[in-house]
Amino acid sequence: MKKQTAMNRDWIATARTLSEALPFLQRYDDAVVVIKFGGHAMGDDTAMESFARDIVLMQQVGVNPVIVHGGGPMINEMLDKLDIKSEFVKGKRVTDAATVRVVEMVLSGLVNKRIVQAINAQGGNAVGLSGKDANLMICTQTNPDLGFVGTPSKVNPKVLRQLFEAEMIPVVAPLGMGEAGETFNVNGDTAAGAIAAALKADRLLLLTDVSGVKDDKGEVVTELTVDHIRRLTESGVIAGGMIPKTETALDAIAGGVRAVVILDGRAPNACLLELFTEHGAGSIIRAG
Ligand SMILES: Nc1ncnc2c1ncn2[C@@H]1O[C@H](COP(=O)(O)OP(=O)(O)OP(=O)(O)O)[C@@H](O)[C@H]1O
Ligand SMILES: [Mg+2]
């Protein structure tokens, strides 16, 4: 008898959760949501499974998700294994011809297919591509000192819209092609921002391994303004891997994205919490 009561309560709670989600489901019906899944946010198989399930649910309720992934830790591991030594300029790896081949192998091969497979195992219909496919991302060299690192100069999102139409979930590896046919590695945050701007996305979610952008006291700032980002950057509180994220957020907003959220991708159901509940998660930067 007791067991049945507990069960009843669970089902009622589940029904209530679904009911409470209705206004959010309506708000995001047919919305475009670009999700940067950082190499550091990718956990073990269970975490990957949970991420994939959230994405499939999102698509099932009418959102058009696009995944853009990172893979820094996996690239470093493979470069080590292959004993490819890199030069560093001011703490940044120089991507020479041998390195960019490994970068492409790891991003388009290992990491991209792991995500595609995880989504499809949850009943989704994911298609893996890189910025090279259908000329999605044409790049120029960011800085000759850094080798084959590119900045997106032209994004052609037509292929993504066609995949939305076909109810497929695009999973994009952050590589682009140069005008002379070179392969460029693009920072995952930058690539996600450029794609989000080209699609005029409703939301850009940057999933990382911290719960948001922290201030000088180490507390997460839940709403960030352009001015606040500038101050935190100038005082060095925003540093390292957070710099391309906040820069991307500002560029994406300027490019027509409605809001950018920086949040912890390892937290359970991070994307659902952000999109479909009152609670929200991480740090949000809104347009105007
Ligand atoms: N003010 C700040 N608030 C929060 N994190 C910060 C801040 N300044 C620097 N960081 C660092 O930024 C890191 C996130 O960027 P990082 O590039 O390491 O991960 P990622 O972009 O999610 O993964 P990848 O680069 O592999 O795709 C955090 O782990 C943290 O150490
Ligand atoms: Mg990073």
Side-chain angles (χ1 to χ4, degrees), residues 36 38-40 70-73 189 207-210 212-214 237-239 241-242 245:
K36 151 75 188 329
H40 289 93
D189 300 319
L207 303 188
T208 182
D209 62 352
V210 281
V213 180
K214 294 177 181 163
V237 175
I238 290 178
M242 197 45 76
K245 273 182 231 307

Coordinates of all heavy atoms in Angstrom, one line a residue, residues 36 38-40 70-73 189 207-210 212-214 237-239 241-242 245, ligand 1:
K36 N 27.1 24.8 -27.9 CA 28.6 24.5 -28.0 C 28.8 23.5 -26.9 O 28.6 23.8 -25.7 CB 29.4 25.7 -27.8 CG 30.8 25.5 -27.2 CD 31.8 24.9 -28.1 CE 33.2 24.5 -27.5 NZ 33.7 25.2 -26.4
G38 N 31.6 21.8 -25.1 CA 33.0 21.9 -25.0 C 33.7 20.5 -24.7 O 33.1 19.6 -24.1
G39 N 34.9 20.4 -25.1 CA 35.7 19.2 -24.8 C 35.8 18.9 -23.3 O 35.8 17.8 -22.9
H40 N 35.8 20.0 -22.6 CA 35.9 19.9 -21.1 C 34.5 19.6 -20.5 O 34.5 19.1 -19.4 CB 36.4 21.2 -20.5 CG 37.9 21.4 -20.8 ND1 38.4 22.1 -21.8 CD2 39.0 20.9 -20.1 CE1 39.7 22.1 -21.8 NE2 40.1 21.3 -20.8
G70 N 33.7 20.9 -29.1 CA 35.1 21.2 -29.0 C 35.9 19.9 -29.0 O 35.4 18.9 -29.5
G71 N 37.0 19.8 -28.3 CA 37.8 18.6 -28.3 C 39.2 18.8 -27.9 O 40.0 17.9 -28.1
G72 N 39.5 19.9 -27.2 CA 40.9 20.2 -26.8 C 41.6 19.1 -26.1 O 42.7 18.6 -26.5
P73 N 41.0 18.5 -25.0 CA 41.7 17.4 -24.3 C 41.9 16.2 -25.2 O 43.0 15.6 -25.0 CB 40.7 17.1 -23.2 CG 39.8 18.3 -23.0 CD 39.7 18.9 -24.4
D189 N 34.1 27.8 -29.5 CA 33.2 28.9 -29.1 C 33.0 29.8 -30.3 O 31.9 30.2 -30.5 CB 33.8 29.7 -27.9 CG 34.1 28.8 -26.7 OD1 33.2 27.9 -26.4 OD2 35.1 29.0 -26.1
L207 N 28.3 25.3 -23.3 CA 28.4 24.3 -22.2 C 29.9 24.1 -21.9 O 30.7 23.8 -22.8 CB 27.8 22.9 -22.6 CG 26.4 22.9 -23.0 CD1 25.9 21.4 -23.2 CD2 25.5 23.6 -22.1
T208 N 30.2 24.3 -20.6 CA 31.6 24.2 -20.2 C 31.7 23.4 -18.9 O 30.8 22.6 -18.6 CB 32.3 25.6 -20.2 OG1 33.6 25.5 -19.8 CG2 31.6 26.5 -19.2
D209 N 32.8 23.6 -18.2 CA 33.1 22.8 -17.0 C 33.0 23.6 -15.7 O 33.5 23.2 -14.7 CB 34.4 22.0 -17.1 CG 35.6 23.0 -17.2 OD1 35.4 24.2 -17.3 OD2 36.7 22.5 -17.1
V210 N 32.4 24.8 -15.8 CA 32.2 25.7 -14.6 C 30.7 26.1 -14.7 O 30.1 26.1 -15.8 CB 33.1 26.9 -14.6 CG1 34.5 26.5 -14.1 CG2 33.2 27.6 -15.9
G212 N 29.3 28.9 -14.6 CA 29.0 30.1 -15.2 C 30.2 31.0 -15.1 O 31.3 30.6 -14.8
V213 N 30.0 32.3 -15.5 CA 31.1 33.3 -15.4 C 31.1 33.8 -13.9 O 30.1 34.3 -13.4 CB 30.8 34.5 -16.4 CG1 32.0 35.5 -16.3 CG2 30.7 34.0 -17.8
K214 N 32.3 33.7 -13.4 CA 32.5 34.0 -12.0 C 33.1 35.5 -11.8 O 33.9 35.9 -12.7 CB 33.4 33.0 -11.3 CG 32.7 31.7 -11.2 CD 33.6 30.6 -10.6 CE 32.9 29.3 -10.6 NZ 33.8 28.2 -10.3
V237 N 39.7 39.0 -14.2 CA 38.8 38.0 -13.6 C 38.3 37.0 -14.6 O 38.2 35.8 -14.4 CB 37.7 38.7 -12.8 CG1 36.7 37.6 -12.2 CG2 38.2 39.6 -11.7
I238 N 38.0 37.5 -15.8 CA 37.7 36.6 -16.9 C 39.0 36.3 -17.6 O 39.7 37.3 -18.1 CB 36.7 37.3 -17.9 CG1 35.3 37.3 -17.2 CG2 36.6 36.5 -19.2 CD1 34.2 38.0 -18.1
A239 N 39.4 35.1 -17.6 CA 40.8 34.7 -18.1 C 40.7 33.4 -18.9 O 39.6 32.8 -18.9 CB 41.8 34.6 -17.0
G241 N 40.3 30.2 -21.0 CA 39.2 29.7 -21.9 C 37.9 30.4 -21.8 O 37.1 30.3 -22.6
M242 N 37.8 31.3 -20.7 CA 36.6 32.0 -20.6 C 36.6 33.3 -21.5 O 35.5 33.8 -21.9 CB 36.4 32.5 -19.1 CG 35.0 32.9 -18.7 SD 33.6 31.9 -19.3 CE 33.7 30.5 -18.2
K245 N 34.9 32.7 -24.8 CA 33.4 32.5 -24.6 C 32.7 33.9 -24.4 O 31.7 34.1 -25.1 CB 33.2 31.7 -23.3 CG 33.2 30.2 -23.5 CD 32.9 29.4 -22.3 CE 34.0 28.4 -22.2 NZ 34.1 27.6 -23.4
Ligands
LIG1 N1 35.8 34.5 -14.6 C1 35.7 33.2 -14.9 N2 34.6 32.4 -14.6 C2 34.6 31.1 -14.8 N3 35.6 30.4 -15.4 C3 36.7 31.1 -15.8 C4 36.8 32.5 -15.5 N4 38.0 32.9 -16.0 C5 38.6 31.8 -16.5 N5 37.9 30.7 -16.4 C6 38.2 29.3 -16.9 O1 37.6 29.0 -18.1 C7 37.5 27.6 -18.2 C8 36.5 27.2 -19.4 O2 37.2 27.2 -20.6 P1 37.9 26.0 -21.4 O3 38.4 26.5 -22.7 O4 38.8 25.4 -20.4 O5 36.7 24.9 -21.6 P2 35.7 24.6 -22.8 O6 35.8 25.8 -23.8 O7 34.4 24.3 -22.2 O8 36.3 23.3 -23.5 P3 37.1 23.2 -24.9 O9 38.0 24.4 -25.0 O10 37.8 22.0 -24.8 O11 36.0 23.2 -26.0 C9 37.0 27.2 -16.9 O12 37.3 25.9 -16.5 C10 37.8 28.2 -15.9 O13 39.0 27.6 -15.5

